[in-house]
Amino acid sequence: MAWWKYVSSRKIFWPLVALAVLMAFNLFFTPKFFRIEVKEGHLYGNVIDIIKNSAPIMLLAIGLTLVIATKGIDISVGSIVAISAGVVAMLLGGDLLGVPKYPIWIAMGTAILVSVLAGMWNGMLVSRIGMQPIIATLILSVAGRGIAMVTTNALIVWLYIKPFRIYGQGYLLGLPFSLYIIAVLLILTALVTRRTALGLFIEAVGINPTAARFAGINAKNIIFGVYAFSGFCAGISGLIVCSTVMSADGNNAGAGYELSAILAVVLGGTSLNGGKFYLLGSMVGALIVQTLTTTIYAFGVPPEIAQVVIALVVLVISLLQSGKFRTMIAGFFGKRELAI
Amino acid sequence: MKARFSINSRNLPTLFTLGLFVIMFAVGSLSFPGFLSPQNFLNLFIDNSYLLILGVGMTFVIISGGIDLSVGSVLAFSTMLSSSLLEKSHWDPLLVIPVVLLAGVALGLFMGYIIQAFDLPPFIITLAGLYLARGLCYVVSIDTIGISNQFWQDAAHAQWNVIGQNFISPSVVIGAVVVIAGVFISRSTKFGRTVYAIGGNEQSAILMGLPVARTKVMIYGLSGFCSALAGIVFTFYTLSGYALNGKGMEMDAIATVVIGGTLLTGGVGGVFGTVFGVLVYGTIQILIVFQGTLNSWWTRIAIGFLVFLFCLLQRVFESRKVGKAKKPEAKVPAKSPS
């Protein structure tokens, strides 16, 4: 059984099992779930949709994984998505003939820049002023909605600029274009954190900031950096959200994304207590969240009620991560420790 | 005289807030005709009594060193539940109110139990609670439910004269009762003192033999109760239940508590300060209305900025305290590479 021990001890194993169970459930209960067709050279089907729809959450999860690894949290990402979408929409303009006000790259660059600034603001509050992450990011999560609404003059801005479509709706070599963006960002992040000492530094800060400081790590700058990076990821996510629906709605863009993204990260095996992170796991986590949502929709449940299920899953996952809960369950089964 | 002042320095944040309120109200009175009137002042309470009630519950949570992000959603759920029970099930109002309050308490106790029993961070559990309660709203009904019940109508339209022609609404009275009860509970009951002890240092509180576990669960129950009551008061304004009510209101509630001088790190603060926090919040809102050209979303931005400002102040106060306590060692260059 050596192979079993090897496979089950891989960090990616349990998230994949969860995804497989969900998929298997769909195989039996949702008709045509796995049907993939080729239309106009693109792949179509539920599975492709799941990948496409989970793109914004995946992007948020990349940034959030690093934040949570430092024992922080960022609940402002949903609002930053709205700000980014609002900025890009206002700069492109709602011209009916599809002539952008400013070149697309300037609009997108500005949106990402504003998002990074928003992330840096969070980072400053947490690392320099020493606020609790939840309060610091709560400020932006609420004020950020206001900023997004003020940016768009409290209107929903519709876009008619064809080339901007590609980021959310386009395909490359038969696969959704957003997938390539995620792949590039994921690989770069993985390289920077795992091929240099940066990842270790981040984990060290998450385990014990004071100890990390005494070990010569600039904890403040690391914390500042991860929040700025989270803002960056949220900015790109906002561009994709805006491009997918070709509109920017300050009130609803990215609403509730923070919970889905946190769930994705936690499902992927990153602990809320900080100190370890797992980027690939977060991606699988995002897929699980999206598959779960799609499955709930497939049963004809309204999207609003799907929140209840997501919230319950968050509760269950948090419980599973709690040491006390594990000992309780283990005691229930008469064992000292659970295998998980 | 000097000794007296140093005692008062504990109330410094509250005095600061009071000063801020007076200045803001004065600026409003000077800039806009009709701003300075007894009724406009009373309106602050009439328009924000639900926030006052939320704030009182939140004050206890924050003094204990926790946080409750679910209050806005529980408020919305309470508006949905009460309107649905009244209009669709035709229950008696005297039965609806206790049931709705019980539902709020139950939600709060549930979250409190999970936080306490499994040692989980309050923000993640109450964040899940936020979405849970919001989703439950839609389980009750997707659409807005209007309330035509006579009792509710009376409560919504009643105006009680206090000074001459100036009036208050029943909501103000409910808010006042909650504040007085809150002040009493926090200062003069075992529960209230335990809340402060937990916020000061949980380990010490346990070692002192205080019922920490029970109190922590009850704090979230209390916050759930306040949220549900605030929901009922909220329906007195809107006469309807709507699932999107109170979106982002958790921030407003936290803001009023923080502006009222309660430390986010727990252990310091009080219910009374929260009243001033609500007054400051209300004044910002009226100022933006009187100003006229700014859209109402600026309130959110202004509140966010105020919270930032007060958190900054709190940090300054704290670092001063720490600086004073550690002064004898200050000569040692203990600066680390950061």
Side-chain angles (χ1 to χ4, degrees):
Chain A
M1 295 303 260
W3 64 273
W4 167 252
K5 223 169 184 180
Y6 174 79
V7 170
S8 65
S9 66
R10 299 281 94 189
K11 279 190 285 184
I12 196 77
F13 179 71
W14 288 109
L16 278 179
V17 166
L19 188 59
V21 168
L22 261 177
M23 290 287 192
F25 178 83
N26 278 307
L27 182 65
F28 290 114
F29 293 101
T30 320
K32 297 181 191 166
F33 192 81
F34 284 97
R35 183 180 291 179
I36 293 179
E37 293 166 32
V38 181
K39 278 184 198 163
E40 300 158 29
H42 310 320
L43 296 174
Y44 275 99
N46 263 329
V47 179
I48 302 293
D49 271 353
I50 287 175
I51 296 173
K52 220 167 97 179
N53 292 340
S54 56
I57 301 294
M58 280 181 162
L59 283 166
L60 294 180
I62 294 177
L64 210 54
T65 304
L66 300 188
V67 172
I68 291 180
T70 65
K71 209 177 179 180
I73 192 84
D74 186 352
I75 60 169
S76 70
V77 287
S79 295
I80 299 181
V81 164
I83 295 176
S84 161
V87 168
V88 79
M90 288 314 277
L91 289 180
L92 288 175
D95 190 275
L96 286 174
L97 296 172
V99 184
K101 240 192 254 173
Y102 293 92
I104 292 182
W105 65 271
I106 289 187
M108 289 172 58
T110 316
I112 292 178
L113 188 73
V114 170
S115 310
V116 172
L117 284 177
M120 284 164 76
W121 164 262
N122 284 334
M124 188 197 73
L125 294 188
V126 177
S127 70
R128 291 306 189 278
I129 299 179
M131 270 187 209
Q132 297 112 301
I134 184 74
I135 301 293
T137 55
L138 183 71
I139 292 176
L140 196 62
S141 105
V142 177
R145 286 262 161 235
I147 294 171
M149 289 305 270
V150 170
T151 318
T152 57
N153 295 323
L155 298 170
I156 298 177
V157 185
W158 292 92
L159 299 176
Y160 303 93
I161 295 143
K162 286 244 167 75
F164 184 62
R165 284 195 126 101
I166 182 163
Y167 304 101
Q169 306 174 21
Y171 286 85
L172 186 66
L173 304 174
L175 287 172
F177 185 78
S178 46
L179 211 57
Y180 294 94
I181 303 177
I182 294 168
V184 169
L185 191 66
L186 181 68
I187 291 169
L188 283 180
T189 315
L191 280 180
V192 171
T193 52
R194 289 308 186 197
R195 292 283 167 235
T196 71
L198 190 66
L200 273 181
F201 289 176
I202 290 174
E203 290 178 336
V205 170
I207 295 167
N208 188 335
T210 321
R213 199 161 53 90
F214 286 142
I217 298 172
N218 193 332
K220 283 187 178 176
N221 281 355
I222 298 260
I223 292 175
F224 180 81
V226 293
Y227 284 95
F229 181 66
S230 177
F232 174 75
C233 294
I236 297 180
S237 180
L239 295 181
I240 290 180
V241 168
C242 183
S243 158
T244 306
V245 290
M246 285 309 265
S247 69
D249 176 356
N251 212 358
N252 290 319
Y257 278 23
E258 57 278 358
L259 189 74
S260 300
I262 293 171
L263 180 56
V265 173
V266 176
L267 276 173
T270 301
S271 160
L272 275 174
N273 295 320
K276 61 170 187 175
F277 69 91
Y278 196 38
L279 283 165
L280 204 59
S282 300
M283 298 302 101
V284 177
L287 283 177
I288 297 175
V289 173
Q290 193 57 44
T291 312
L292 185 66
T293 321
T294 311
T295 311
I296 300 168
Y297 292 171
F299 278 83
V301 178
E304 293 85 3
I305 296 177
Q307 282 183 352
V308 178
V309 180
I310 303 268
L312 288 176
V313 176
V314 171
L315 278 179
V316 171
I317 298 296
S318 320
L319 281 180
L320 285 178
Q321 286 204 352
S322 146
K324 272 192 182 175
F325 183 76
R326 287 194 200 184
T327 4
M328 199 176 102
I329 294 293
F332 193 70
F333 287 111
K335 281 184 205 166
R336 273 211 170 153
E337 242 179 298
L338 264 192
I340 318 168
Chain B
M1 202 60 203
K2 188 135 200 210
R4 176 127 191 90
F5 187 74
S6 67
I7 291 169
N8 278 354
S9 76
R10 267 186 65 197
N11 302 328
L12 208 61
T14 314
L15 289 176
F16 189 83
T17 310
L18 181 63
L20 183 70
F21 166 66
V22 171
I23 291 170
M24 278 179 14
F25 209 79
V27 167
S29 311
L30 292 176
S31 322
F32 308 110
F35 192 94
L36 183 68
S37 73
Q39 189 57 54
N40 203 20
F41 179 72
L42 289 179
N43 281 347
L44 283 177
F45 291 98
I46 295 176
D47 295 340
N48 296 300
S49 54
Y50 63 91
L51 189 59
L52 191 61
I53 299 169
L54 280 187
V56 171
M58 185 66 88
T59 310
F60 281 91
V61 179
I62 291 183
I63 289 177
S64 80
I67 194 92
D68 187 353
L69 299 178
S70 71
V71 292
S73 296
V74 176
L75 177 139
F77 176 61
S78 151
T79 68
M80 286 306 278
L81 191 62
S82 48
S83 54
S84 167
L85 287 179
L86 282 170
E87 297 304 315
K88 295 197 170 162
S89 316
H90 300 289
W91 284 23
D92 192 79
L94 293 178
L95 192 62
V96 170
I97 294 174
V99 166
V100 170
L101 292 180
L102 264 181
V105 172
L107 265 172
L109 288 178
F110 171 66
M111 288 187 287
Y113 175 74
I114 293 181
I115 292 168
Q116 159 57 32
F118 304 113
D119 205 14
L120 287 165
F123 70 82
I124 195 79
I125 299 305
T126 54
L127 186 66
L130 188 163
Y131 287 97
L132 187 69
R134 192 66 74 188
L136 286 177
C137 292
Y138 292 102
V139 174
V140 174
S141 165
I142 303 274
D143 308 310
T144 312
I145 309 173
I147 300 177
S148 54
N149 181 283
Q150 197 52 46
F151 181 83
W152 245 259
Q153 292 278 351
D154 289 344
H157 298 303
Q159 294 183 347
W160 295 331
N161 286 346
V162 276
I163 323 159
Q165 286 302 304
N166 303 302
F167 61 88
I168 55 168
S169 63
S171 320
V172 178
V173 179
I174 300 176
V177 170
V178 170
V179 168
I180 293 167
V183 171
F184 175 76
I185 291 173
S186 67
R187 291 193 181 167
S188 317
T189 65
K190 230 171 147 182
F191 169 77
R193 302 322 294 172
T194 311
V195 173
Y196 277 92
I198 294 174
N201 190 332
E202 195 173 330
Q203 284 307 315
S204 313
I206 294 173
L207 291 176
M208 279 164 72
L210 293 169
V212 169
R214 202 180 62 204
T215 309
K216 265 177 94 175
V217 177
M218 277 164 68
I219 291 167
Y220 289 92
L222 179 68
S223 178
F225 173 84
C226 287
S227 311
L229 184 62
I232 292 176
V233 169
F234 197 81
T235 53
F236 289 163
Y237 295 95
T238 58
L239 282 176
S240 65
Y242 181 40
L244 284 178
N245 278 336
K247 221 178 171 189
M249 208 179 269
E250 59 279 357
M251 174 65 180
D252 297 338
I254 294 170
T256 56
V257 175
V258 173
I259 295 172
T262 299
L263 289 194
L264 278 167
T265 40
V268 180
V271 172
F272 211 62
T274 305
V275 179
F276 295 118
V278 172
L279 287 178
V280 168
Y281 177 90
T283 313
I284 293 177
Q285 235 169 8
I286 327 180
L287 278 175
I288 286 171
V289 172
F290 267 79
Q291 202 272 344
T293 56
L294 287 175
N295 104 30
S296 66
W297 284 93
W298 280 100
T299 319
R300 286 244 177 279
I301 300 175
I303 285 294
F305 184 71
L306 262 190
V307 170
F308 158 70
L309 216 65
F310 272 80
C311 287
L312 201 66
L313 264 178
Q314 291 186 359
R315 296 306 299 184
V316 171
F317 273 119
E318 271 168 48
S319 57
R320 261 186 163 182
K321 258 187 214 162
V322 173
K324 264 183 192 168
K326 284 188 180 168
K327 220 162 198 179
E329 301 169 69
K331 278 174 191 165
V332 185
K335 268 272 175 196
S336 50
S338 76

